[in-house]
Amino acid sequence: MDRLFLDANVLFSAAYRSEAGLLRLWKLRDVVLCTSHYAAEEARFNLGEDVQRRCLAELLLTVQFCDASERELPRGISLPEKDAPILLAAIEVRATHLLTGDVRHFGSYFGQTFEGRTVPASRVRKSSARADQYF
């Protein structure tokens, strides 16, 4: 069973409009959706309308939460301080995929595996063959 870690921008986009294509993720079978409190709070903070925040709250009811432990990034990984907790939480929850639209900071890691499991993939750029099935 795949474990998909959802970055804040994926959560934001899913909650932003009621017809968002990313809402299909919540209908997938044999998939566990995961995120962190850090990512959820960032998405909530950036949503401008109460209806969007309520949508996010409903979506999060079916998402497994895992926060990053205090540790260093894996060797060879360089991310801005604000993005490190995302990758570390994805590793902590043993995600098979990290779904993000943050091409600027995660783009150079698309398609790579970290600690044997987490594969950064993007809605914008489908770089992982396994991730293609989700879009």
Side-chain angles (χ1 to χ4, degrees):
M1 179 176 300
D2 284 339
R3 299 174 67 76
L4 309 180
F5 188 92
L6 310 177
D7 191 3
N9 52 49
V10 172
L11 295 171
F12 173 92
S13 296
Y16 188 75
R17 22 182 215 101
S18 59
E19 326 68 55
L22 285 170
L23 291 171
R24 290 181 289 163
L25 291 171
W26 276 261
K27 295 177 182 174
L28 294 174
R29 295 175 172 249
D30 298 324
V31 166
V32 176
L33 299 179
C34 310
T35 196
S36 64
H37 290 95
Y38 178 83
E41 179 55 26
E42 182 180 341
R44 189 202 64 75
F45 179 80
N46 288 313
L47 288 167
E49 299 180 21
D50 287 340
V51 67
Q52 295 167 332
R53 289 189 185 111
R54 283 192 302 274
C55 179
L56 176 64
E58 286 182 35
L59 293 172
L60 292 174
L61 291 174
T62 59
V63 173
Q64 180 182 342
F65 281 85
C66 181
D67 293 306
S69 59
E70 292 293 322
R71 60 180 276 195
E72 297 292 319
L73 286 168
R75 189 175 176 183
I77 304 297
S78 176
L79 288 171
E81 187 175 333
K82 71 173 191 67
D83 291 321
I86 299 298
L87 181 60
L88 291 173
I91 290 170
E92 187 82 19
V93 76
R94 300 184 49 81
T96 56
H97 297 85
L98 165 56
L99 302 185
T100 182
D102 187 349
V103 177
R104 181 177 181 191
H105 297 125
F106 287 97
S108 62
Y109 305 115
F110 289 166
Q112 294 183 34
T113 301
F114 301 104
E115 298 195 9
R117 294 186 60 94
T118 303
V119 178
S122 170
R123 173 67 177 97
V124 175
R125 204 171 117 191
K126 302 177 204 169
S127 62
S128 168
R130 293 190 62 204
D132 286 347
Q133 66 187 312
Y134 300 118
F135 305 106

